[in-house]
Amino acid sequence: MIRPPAVSGRFYPSDEKKLAFESDQYTASTRQKVFAHGCIVPHAGYMYSGHVAGAVYSAIEIPARCILLGPRHFPGGEAMAIISEGSWRSPFGDAQIDSELAVELKRACPLLREDRVAHEREHSLEVQIPFLQKLVENLRFVPVVLATQRYTELESLGHALAQVVTAHAEPVLLIASTDMNHYESDAITRVKDQKAIERILPLDPRGLYDTVRSEDITMCGYAATVAMLIAMRDLGAQDAEVIRYATSGDINGDRDEVVGYAGIVVR
């Protein structure tokens, strides 16, 4: 079954040539690529956060197999939703779901539920697909969106992710999709985002979870990031690096209400 794009023409160009031009601009880098266990990328419209996501993708060696984790912004569907068959359509063609990895992940984390409803309108993973298609041949991916805020459930998912990745000799990249603080001033957003980033860099999932909640940081994909960080620890990741940080105010000049975007690589 093919999932049609939900935000093509709004968050990114629906025309293949225009999308290719923008993607090339955002991923143009002379930086030497490094191996990464995982990464954190934003998911706003490309005009706002494409340069941040592109900087991350151009900084790492992206394998053919990826697991994408992101928030479910809309009501409807399961709280921990996966799709294990079919493909997702983009202007670049159809990206194939990695059924083998998806089935293994469902087996390792029974909390995951097969559910297309949770994914059908969600943009947090969709906007990553064109970047990955442009940079990777024969891309295969597993989509997971989360609406749960229970740490124990995120912990179970994180351990399961590491278990599945460890079982394969070929590399599997874990991608957490999140924007940072939403709709406060640029000054406040940068302070709040820095508090969250200070917990991400030492790979501290519980610290990030507690900080986001206690400091009222409206980081929409913090659950996905927490699960990814738990997996990173299990996989023996050593450190993380901020590749690029920006706010929407850097693009449109409005500093009164911004959204923060952080691009981070975990090695």
Side-chain angles (χ1 to χ4, degrees):
M1 185 171 180
I2 298 173
R3 175 198 182 271
V7 294
S8 176
R10 293 191 292 130
F11 280 54
Y12 56 88
S14 58
D15 179 80
E16 180 182 359
K17 290 183 178 179
K18 290 181 180 179
L19 180 58
F21 177 76
E22 284 196 17
S23 299
D24 286 343
Q25 283 191 312
Y26 293 138
T27 56
S29 174
T30 57
R31 182 184 178 122
Q32 184 174 358
K33 295 181 183 293
V34 299
F35 169 79
H37 288 286
C39 64
I40 298 168
V41 288
H43 54 241
Y46 279 19
M47 70 171 290
Y48 289 106
S49 68
H51 65 298
V52 177
V56 171
Y57 289 133
S58 63
I60 61 177
E61 299 172 356
I62 305 175
R65 310 181 86 174
C66 302
I67 299 176
L68 278 65
L69 310 166
R72 192 197 75 197
H73 288 88
F74 301 98
E78 297 287 344
M80 299 177 70
I82 188 172
I83 302 177
S84 58
E85 293 182 350
S87 59
W88 286 23
R89 181 154 292 168
S90 89
F92 291 147
D94 294 344
Q96 189 68 37
I97 289 176
D98 193 321
S99 295
E100 178 189 14
L101 273 185
V103 169
E104 290 176 7
L105 184 55
K106 286 196 297 183
R107 187 180 301 125
C109 183
L111 294 170
L112 288 169
R113 296 287 186 269
E114 191 77 21
D115 179 28
R116 294 182 178 274
V117 172
H119 288 267
E120 63 184 5
R121 290 193 295 160
E122 181 52 53
H123 63 275
S124 62
L125 305 187
E126 178 182 325
V127 298
Q128 313 307 328
I129 298 300
F131 277 121
L132 296 171
Q133 286 178 299
K134 194 73 168 58
L135 296 170
V136 182
E137 290 187 14
N138 302 315
L139 170 70
R140 290 170 291 161
F141 73 103
V142 178
V144 176
V145 291
L146 303 172
T148 182
Q149 297 180 349
R150 297 175 181 173
Y151 189 82
T152 55
E153 294 179 346
L154 302 178
E155 195 170 34
S156 295
L157 175 57
H159 292 319
L161 287 164
Q163 178 183 327
V164 169
V165 171
T166 301
H168 290 268
E170 59 185 303
V172 178
L173 179 67
L174 301 185
I175 302 172
S177 172
T178 184
D179 293 338
M180 302 298 286
N181 196 60
H182 288 60
Y183 308 134
E184 294 189 273
S185 72
D186 191 85
I188 290 174
T189 288
R190 288 177 185 271
V191 170
K192 286 189 172 184
D193 286 352
Q194 185 58 35
K195 290 179 179 179
I197 291 169
E198 285 174 356
R199 300 275 46 86
I200 294 172
L201 295 183
L203 311 182
D204 180 7
R206 184 75 217 199
L208 174 63
Y209 180 88
D210 291 339
T211 297
V212 166
R213 294 163 71 87
S214 65
E215 298 289 342
D216 192 27
I217 303 170
T218 52
M219 177 181 174
C220 56
Y222 81 93
T225 307
V226 165
M228 189 269 282
L229 290 176
I230 290 167
M232 292 296 99
R233 284 194 157 189
D234 286 359
L235 291 168
Q238 298 297 310
D239 60 16
E241 178 187 358
V242 177
I243 302 299
R244 183 169 292 176
Y245 174 84
T247 74
S248 57
D250 296 331
I251 303 299
N252 62 15
D254 180 359
R255 302 290 179 179
D256 294 329
E257 281 194 345
V258 307
V259 179
Y261 311 117
I264 299 174
V265 168
V266 184
R267 298 177 290 234

